[in-house]
Amino acid sequence: MTRLSRVAPWLPFPRGTHHSPVRVLVHADTDALRALIARDRVANVFVDSLVRENNSAVPTFRGSVMLGLFADDGVTLAAACWVGSNVVPIEATAEQATHFGHWVVDHQQQHASIFGPAEPTLAIAEVMRKAGVQAQEVRANQPLLTIAGPPLIPASPSLLVSQSGQFDEILLAAAAMFEEEVGYSPFLGGEGNYRRRVAWLISHGYSLSHCEPHGEVIFKADLGAVTPHVTQIQGVWMNPRFRGQGLSAAYMAAVVNLSRQHAPIASLYVNDYNIRARAVYEQVGFEQVGTFATVLF
């Protein structure tokens, strides 16, 4: 059966009048932001990787900003928040996160999602909900898992780093994974951007796959965020033709081994209702260290 793709609508809402104590971070704030990120390398790996790539608190992505909330002394950075196509709170309490939520509302920017530690993520979403921004889906309980050593089970030797010549097949598998996960095609928001993202993952050695001789992808996973301390595994997908054969655990063990070439800790977050995936991750040796949430628009 073919699933009809959809685009999550961004609902209009009136500009707010909330006075925000938040300000956009500048280059001079980079060291303070790095220190904030270092409090939790696992939870903050996504933003950590971006700051390392840019070598600055100022994003290079058009339309993106890094917000900061400072302590009463006006000097100490108490919390931060990445605002781009996604909104990602950094070391924020639920109360602090509401200020980021008001900033987002007041600036009327479009976002695909909010994700990160559950309490601040849901606090931002609640501010937006009250302002009339309706989420398409709220995933409020996503266990954040890590493994800091070799996997507990033997790894599949078939999983390899994807090569540039596999781009077309990897792109199709990545798009199928995306649509299965969020309910609409990634190409609807602009095929070029998604193609560039997949090409970037392959060129950096962050796309991992096992393909049949004729090229069809059997299993794939990405290292979606990479730092010297932590990798974050994303985009895990098994071809439907090979599901139910008990292959996933050995593939995931191989993902862990390959990720350890970049950093000592591998992490991921998973929907709480995905019982099969959680069982696989536990079998491989992942343990829960926190709880994330994702709000999709």
Side-chain angles (χ1 to χ4, degrees):
M1 181 177 67
T2 301
R3 185 207 308 254
L4 292 178
S5 299
R6 63 176 173 81
V7 176
W10 185 262
L11 303 180
F13 55 92
R15 179 175 294 275
T17 57
H18 178 81
H19 176 70
S20 176
V22 170
R23 73 165 171 84
V24 174
L25 298 185
V26 297
H27 293 295
D29 297 311
T30 301
D31 287 343
L33 178 60
R34 287 184 176 133
L36 189 72
I37 288 169
R39 293 182 187 175
D40 190 336
R41 296 288 189 185
V42 172
N44 299 325
V45 62
F46 170 76
V47 175
D48 195 1
S49 67
L50 293 176
V51 173
R52 288 175 183 275
E53 184 177 348
N54 301 335
N55 198 30
S56 175
V58 179
T60 57
F61 296 100
R62 193 173 111 189
S64 300
V65 296
M66 190 77 75
L67 304 178
L69 184 68
F70 288 79
D72 292 340
D73 61 10
V75 175
T76 305
L77 183 63
C81 187
W82 164 269
V83 179
S85 58
N86 305 296
V87 176
V88 185
I90 307 153
E91 294 300 302
T93 65
E95 181 179 357
Q96 291 168 333
T98 61
H99 295 293
F100 297 130
H102 286 298
W103 190 97
V104 170
V105 167
D106 290 347
H107 288 77
Q108 295 189 322
Q109 291 183 247
Q110 298 184 15
H111 312 285
S113 70
I114 314 167
F115 68 86
E119 289 190 4
T121 295
L122 296 175
I124 293 171
E126 178 63 11
V127 171
M128 296 173 69
R129 184 192 68 80
K130 290 180 177 179
V133 184
Q134 301 301 317
Q136 293 296 313
E137 185 177 356
V138 177
R139 301 175 181 180
N141 182 6
Q142 297 177 305
L144 176 64
L145 311 177
T146 64
I147 182 171
L152 300 181
I153 62 172
S156 169
S158 301
L159 190 75
L160 302 172
V161 176
S162 304
Q163 302 301 309
S164 58
Q166 298 172 291
F167 173 79
D168 290 340
E169 291 80 8
I170 299 297
L171 178 66
L172 288 175
M177 179 281 305
F178 185 99
E179 183 159 354
E180 193 172 317
E181 177 68 15
V182 302
Y184 60 91
S185 169
F187 298 149
L188 295 181
E191 183 174 345
N193 289 335
Y194 197 72
R195 292 177 66 92
R196 282 189 288 272
R197 173 62 176 170
V198 173
W200 185 91
L201 288 167
I202 294 174
S203 67
H204 283 73
Y206 297 159
S207 170
L208 314 175
S209 61
H210 176 209
C211 300
E212 291 199 297
H214 65 273
E216 184 180 10
V217 176
I218 298 173
F219 176 92
K220 67 163 288 291
D222 304 321
L223 305 181
V226 177
T227 74
H229 308 282
V230 184
T231 63
Q232 186 177 88
I233 300 164
Q234 301 173 355
V236 177
W237 183 80
M238 176 74 78
N239 188 317
R241 294 200 299 114
F242 295 90
R243 294 176 188 176
Q245 300 180 26
L247 302 175
S248 296
Y251 281 130
M252 283 305 304
V255 172
V256 170
N257 284 340
L258 290 170
S259 74
R260 293 181 70 213
Q261 297 177 9
H262 300 278
I265 298 174
S267 71
L268 57 83
Y269 57 99
V270 58
N271 295 318
D272 63 323
Y273 52 79
N274 195 340
I275 303 302
R276 286 187 178 181
R278 294 179 64 180
V280 167
Y281 299 145
E282 183 177 357
Q283 184 181 356
V284 172
F286 283 89
E287 297 180 347
Q288 184 170 355
V289 295
T291 302
F292 266 30
T294 299
V295 181
L296 300 171
F297 296 99

